[in-house]
Amino acid sequence: QVHPVESGGGLVQSGGSLRLSCAASKSVDNLKGMGWYRQAPGKERELVATITSGGRINYADSVKDRFTISRDNATNTLYLQMNNLKPEDTAVYYCNVEISLDFYRFNRYWGQGTQVTVSS
């Protein structure tokens, strides 16, 4: 139903910036929220930032004040502006879309991921 597609990853030096994009969905109907997650080799997937359909935003402490999540409602595109990147930010970054099924349940959809590599 929903097929998020990420783009914008790449190789940057420490202190550099990248802007990730996610073509998240064709419709905002029943959209609960969207978010960015990342997974480094040998690590569990972790939350980076989320934004609800109402615009409420949460960030992981590790990226607070460096990353900015935003959404373009006109194009249903999710963004992650990543500034002052650090080597520990190196990971595959995934776009997540949550669609409500009813008041209590929702489905989560994941993109294929985009690689972000930060060199020291």
Side-chain angles (χ1 to χ4, degrees), residues 9-24:
L11 173 64
V12 298
Q13 294 187 64
S14 181
S17 298
L18 285 173
R19 188 182 189 227
L20 306 184
S21 299
C22 173

PDB file of all heavy atoms in Angstrom, residues 9-24:
ATOM      1  N   GLY A   9      21.467  10.072   0.568  1.00  0.00           N
ATOM      2  CA  GLY A   9      22.613   9.621   1.321  1.00  0.00           C
ATOM      3  C   GLY A   9      23.892   9.777   0.531  1.00  0.00           C
ATOM      4  O   GLY A   9      23.884  10.087  -0.657  1.00  0.00           O
ATOM      5  N   GLY A  10      25.006   9.562   1.215  1.00  0.00           N
ATOM      6  CA  GLY A  10      26.286   9.682   0.562  1.00  0.00           C
ATOM      7  C   GLY A  10      27.421   9.679   1.548  1.00  0.00           C
ATOM      8  O   GLY A  10      27.249   9.356   2.726  1.00  0.00           O
ATOM      9  N   LEU A  11      28.591  10.042   1.050  1.00  0.00           N
ATOM     10  CA  LEU A  11      29.808  10.096   1.850  1.00  0.00           C
ATOM     11  C   LEU A  11      30.187  11.547   2.094  1.00  0.00           C
ATOM     12  O   LEU A  11      30.328  12.325   1.143  1.00  0.00           O
ATOM     13  CB  LEU A  11      30.944   9.371   1.125  1.00  0.00           C
ATOM     14  CG  LEU A  11      32.332   9.462   1.751  1.00  0.00           C
ATOM     15  CD1 LEU A  11      32.342   8.794   3.120  1.00  0.00           C
ATOM     16  CD2 LEU A  11      33.359   8.830   0.827  1.00  0.00           C
ATOM     17  N   VAL A  12      30.340  11.904   3.359  1.00  0.00           N
ATOM     18  CA  VAL A  12      30.730  13.260   3.726  1.00  0.00           C
ATOM     19  C   VAL A  12      31.775  13.209   4.824  1.00  0.00           C
ATOM     20  O   VAL A  12      31.911  12.212   5.533  1.00  0.00           O
ATOM     21  CB  VAL A  12      29.535  14.113   4.205  1.00  0.00           C
ATOM     22  CG1 VAL A  12      28.507  14.280   3.093  1.00  0.00           C
ATOM     23  CG2 VAL A  12      28.891  13.487   5.438  1.00  0.00           C
ATOM     24  N   GLN A  13      32.509  14.296   4.955  1.00  0.00           N
ATOM     25  CA  GLN A  13      33.468  14.412   6.043  1.00  0.00           C
ATOM     26  C   GLN A  13      32.778  14.853   7.323  1.00  0.00           C
ATOM     27  O   GLN A  13      31.687  15.438   7.296  1.00  0.00           O
ATOM     28  CB  GLN A  13      34.560  15.418   5.694  1.00  0.00           C
ATOM     29  CG  GLN A  13      35.463  15.007   4.556  1.00  0.00           C
ATOM     30  CD  GLN A  13      36.623  15.959   4.382  1.00  0.00           C
ATOM     31  OE1 GLN A  13      37.476  16.088   5.283  1.00  0.00           O
ATOM     32  NE2 GLN A  13      36.655  16.629   3.249  1.00  0.00           N
ATOM     33  N   SER A  14      33.402  14.547   8.425  1.00  0.00           N
ATOM     34  CA  SER A  14      32.894  15.000   9.709  1.00  0.00           C
ATOM     35  C   SER A  14      32.683  16.510   9.682  1.00  0.00           C
ATOM     36  O   SER A  14      33.533  17.262   9.216  1.00  0.00           O
ATOM     37  CB  SER A  14      33.865  14.621  10.824  1.00  0.00           C
ATOM     38  OG  SER A  14      33.383  15.028  12.082  1.00  0.00           O
ATOM     39  N   GLY A  15      31.538  16.927  10.184  1.00  0.00           N
ATOM     40  CA  GLY A  15      31.184  18.331  10.166  1.00  0.00           C
ATOM     41  C   GLY A  15      30.377  18.751   8.958  1.00  0.00           C
ATOM     42  O   GLY A  15      29.855  19.873   8.926  1.00  0.00           O
ATOM     43  N   GLY A  16      30.256  17.869   7.988  1.00  0.00           N
ATOM     44  CA  GLY A  16      29.507  18.171   6.792  1.00  0.00           C
ATOM     45  C   GLY A  16      28.020  17.983   6.977  1.00  0.00           C
ATOM     46  O   GLY A  16      27.536  17.651   8.058  1.00  0.00           O
ATOM     47  N   SER A  17      27.288  18.181   5.889  1.00  0.00           N
ATOM     48  CA  SER A  17      25.835  18.115   5.926  1.00  0.00           C
ATOM     49  C   SER A  17      25.292  17.268   4.791  1.00  0.00           C
ATOM     50  O   SER A  17      25.899  17.159   3.717  1.00  0.00           O
ATOM     51  CB  SER A  17      25.233  19.523   5.829  1.00  0.00           C
ATOM     52  OG  SER A  17      25.616  20.335   6.917  1.00  0.00           O
ATOM     53  N   LEU A  18      24.146  16.688   5.038  1.00  0.00           N
ATOM     54  CA  LEU A  18      23.388  15.969   4.032  1.00  0.00           C
ATOM     55  C   LEU A  18      21.914  16.241   4.261  1.00  0.00           C
ATOM     56  O   LEU A  18      21.494  16.509   5.386  1.00  0.00           O
ATOM     57  CB  LEU A  18      23.633  14.465   4.092  1.00  0.00           C
ATOM     58  CG  LEU A  18      24.948  13.916   3.555  1.00  0.00           C
ATOM     59  CD1 LEU A  18      25.040  12.427   3.866  1.00  0.00           C
ATOM     60  CD2 LEU A  18      25.055  14.151   2.059  1.00  0.00           C
ATOM     61  N   ARG A  19      21.143  16.143   3.200  1.00  0.00           N
ATOM     62  CA  ARG A  19      19.702  16.269   3.305  1.00  0.00           C
ATOM     63  C   ARG A  19      19.062  15.028   2.697  1.00  0.00           C
ATOM     64  O   ARG A  19      19.179  14.793   1.495  1.00  0.00           O
ATOM     65  CB  ARG A  19      19.196  17.520   2.591  1.00  0.00           C
ATOM     66  CG  ARG A  19      17.717  17.819   2.833  1.00  0.00           C
ATOM     67  CD  ARG A  19      17.297  19.038   2.055  1.00  0.00           C
ATOM     68  NE  ARG A  19      15.961  19.496   2.406  1.00  0.00           N
ATOM     69  CZ  ARG A  19      15.032  19.820   1.518  1.00  0.00           C
ATOM     70  NH1 ARG A  19      15.289  19.735   0.225  1.00  0.00           N
ATOM     71  NH2 ARG A  19      13.849  20.249   1.938  1.00  0.00           N
ATOM     72  N   LEU A  20      18.402  14.262   3.532  1.00  0.00           N
ATOM     73  CA  LEU A  20      17.723  13.064   3.084  1.00  0.00           C
ATOM     74  C   LEU A  20      16.283  13.389   2.713  1.00  0.00           C
ATOM     75  O   LEU A  20      15.644  14.235   3.337  1.00  0.00           O
ATOM     76  CB  LEU A  20      17.731  11.988   4.167  1.00  0.00           C
ATOM     77  CG  LEU A  20      19.093  11.599   4.742  1.00  0.00           C
ATOM     78  CD1 LEU A  20      18.918  10.457   5.739  1.00  0.00           C
ATOM     79  CD2 LEU A  20      20.060  11.214   3.642  1.00  0.00           C
ATOM     80  N   SER A  21      15.783  12.695   1.714  1.00  0.00           N
ATOM     81  CA  SER A  21      14.405  12.854   1.288  1.00  0.00           C
ATOM     82  C   SER A  21      13.722  11.503   1.266  1.00  0.00           C
ATOM     83  O   SER A  21      14.353  10.478   1.029  1.00  0.00           O
ATOM     84  CB  SER A  21      14.327  13.485  -0.105  1.00  0.00           C
ATOM     85  OG  SER A  21      14.908  14.764  -0.126  1.00  0.00           O
ATOM     86  N   CYS A  22      12.435  11.523   1.491  1.00  0.00           N
ATOM     87  CA  CYS A  22      11.638  10.308   1.453  1.00  0.00           C
ATOM     88  C   CYS A  22      10.316  10.606   0.774  1.00  0.00           C
ATOM     89  O   CYS A  22       9.511  11.380   1.292  1.00  0.00           O
ATOM     90  CB  CYS A  22      11.402   9.776   2.861  1.00  0.00           C
ATOM     91  SG  CYS A  22      10.260   8.378   2.949  1.00  0.00           S
ATOM     92  N   ALA A  23      10.122  10.000  -0.387  1.00  0.00           N
ATOM     93  CA  ALA A  23       8.821  10.031  -1.033  1.00  0.00           C
ATOM     94  C   ALA A  23       7.979   8.978  -0.337  1.00  0.00           C
ATOM     95  O   ALA A  23       8.053   7.792  -0.662  1.00  0.00           O
ATOM     96  CB  ALA A  23       8.958   9.751  -2.523  1.00  0.00           C
ATOM     97  N   ALA A  24       7.215   9.428   0.639  1.00  0.00           N
ATOM     98  CA  ALA A  24       6.655   8.506   1.612  1.00  0.00           C
ATOM     99  C   ALA A  24       5.350   7.844   1.199  1.00  0.00           C
ATOM    100  O   ALA A  24       5.124   6.677   1.511  1.00  0.00           O
ATOM    101  CB  ALA A  24       6.458   9.228   2.944  1.00  0.00           C
TER     102      ALA A  24
END
